[in-house]
Amino acid sequence: MAGKKVLIVYAHQEPRSFNGSLKKVAVDELSKQGCTVTVSDLYAMDFEPRATRKDMTSALSNPEFFSYGVEAYEACKKLSLTSDIIDEQKKVQEADLVIFQFPLYWFSVPAILKGWMDRVLCQGFAFDIPGFDDSGFLQGKLALLSITTGGTAEMYSKTGVSGDFRYFLWPLQHGTLHFCGFKVLAPQISFAPEFVSEEERKGMLASWSQRLKTIWKEEPIPCTPPWYFGQ
């Protein structure tokens, strides 16, 4: 939709990978709609995933005993976080929709993306206490996880060997995104792209592109335990 701003936080090392293709499809389709699309290509940026005292550029509030959460909160209020964090926070702040594009690592995000979440979504920027869940500071924004898996859809079903895919979405969608106030759109999961035919991969890309055509009309999921775990 013209005038909308989208941030794609992209975590894959190889531009020609299937993740790279999914990212490109999103950039192309959303740009065609007149959206402004920004990509944070974390590996290409050599993004620092470690949360350390180097993230604060001013004096620590308690140099005797280092607490990252406390110091990041203070630095956020004083606008003294390092520039790489502030740059990402600005991109999030300006976005109407944030898409996370990544391969599933151990039922979770790759370390570089976990580090992005740890460092960028700090207290004072993304939430406060109180000031989380429906009152999170990123309320009014949409978030969407676009994930590729090694396992098949069958493996990620309730009766499958890995259990329902919604189980591994709980910490990411509910514990992180919803906590910060995002409205969460249904995930886009491309199951086992490396084990299907070229035709099926093309189909996955086409269905992502198709979905993005009407993405602004979608309703967010009800981000509560029953959606993930049943009644």
Side-chain angles (χ1 to χ4, degrees):
M1 195 193 284
K4 293 284 192 186
K5 292 188 171 170
V6 182
L7 169 63
I8 302 176
V9 185
Y10 165 68
H12 199 288
Q13 308 87 336
E14 173 53 65
R16 291 165 306 177
S17 64
F18 191 67
N19 271 267
S21 301
L22 287 162
K23 184 255 297 171
K24 186 178 182 314
V25 160
V27 171
D28 292 350
E29 172 53 40
L30 293 164
S31 302
K32 205 160 74 187
Q33 293 174 21
C35 300
T36 305
V37 185
T38 304
V39 177
S40 284
D41 182 342
L42 301 183
Y43 288 104
M45 292 155 66
D46 204 15
F47 187 79
E48 169 60 77
R50 293 169 299 178
T52 68
R53 59 178 71 213
K54 291 184 188 147
D55 290 349
M56 299 90 210
T57 61
S58 57
L60 297 180
S61 63
N62 182 358
E64 303 303 307
F65 183 91
F66 182 71
S67 162
Y68 185 85
V70 168
E71 297 297 348
Y73 183 36
E74 292 303 322
C76 184
K77 289 190 287 195
K78 290 191 287 202
L79 307 179
S80 64
L81 287 164
T82 48
S83 61
D84 64 333
I85 297 176
I86 289 173
D87 289 348
E88 295 306 300
Q89 290 177 342
K90 279 193 189 128
K91 294 176 197 174
V92 172
Q93 199 65 65
E94 286 172 8
D96 298 295
L97 164 65
V98 181
I99 296 172
F100 296 88
Q101 179 63 59
F102 62 95
L104 194 69
Y105 278 21
W106 299 120
F107 278 24
S108 187
V109 290
I112 201 165
L113 178 50
K114 178 62 165 67
W116 185 96
M117 292 171 167
D118 291 348
R119 297 175 69 230
V120 176
L121 302 176
C122 67
Q123 185 177 358
F125 169 70
F127 69 94
D128 209 337
I129 314 286
F132 57 91
D133 288 351
D134 293 335
S135 325
F137 293 175
L138 305 180
Q139 58 189 288
K141 299 182 185 300
L142 299 167
L144 189 164
L145 301 179
S146 174
I147 306 172
T148 61
T149 66
T152 60
E154 202 171 61
M155 290 165 77
Y156 283 110
S157 62
K158 272 204 168 41
T159 53
V161 63
S162 299
D164 196 307
F165 67 87
R166 294 183 180 204
Y167 302 159
F168 71 68
L169 293 172
W170 171 254
L172 295 170
Q173 291 186 169
H174 190 274
T176 309
L177 300 174
H178 172 71
F179 186 87
C180 296
F182 279 110
K183 297 246 179 308
V184 180
L185 296 177
Q188 183 74 14
I189 305 185
S190 304
F191 289 103
E194 52 195 319
F195 301 113
V196 301
S197 68
E198 188 57 34
E199 278 315 294
E200 286 175 278
R201 275 197 292 275
K202 282 189 178 140
M204 290 177 184
L205 292 173
S207 72
W208 177 221
S209 183
Q210 196 54 43
R211 179 182 173 191
L212 289 167
K213 286 183 183 1
T214 54
I215 199 75
W216 303 106
K217 297 194 174 112
E218 285 191 20
E219 286 296 317
I221 64 162
C223 210
T224 56
W227 188 89
Y228 297 90
F229 307 110
Q231 294 300 342

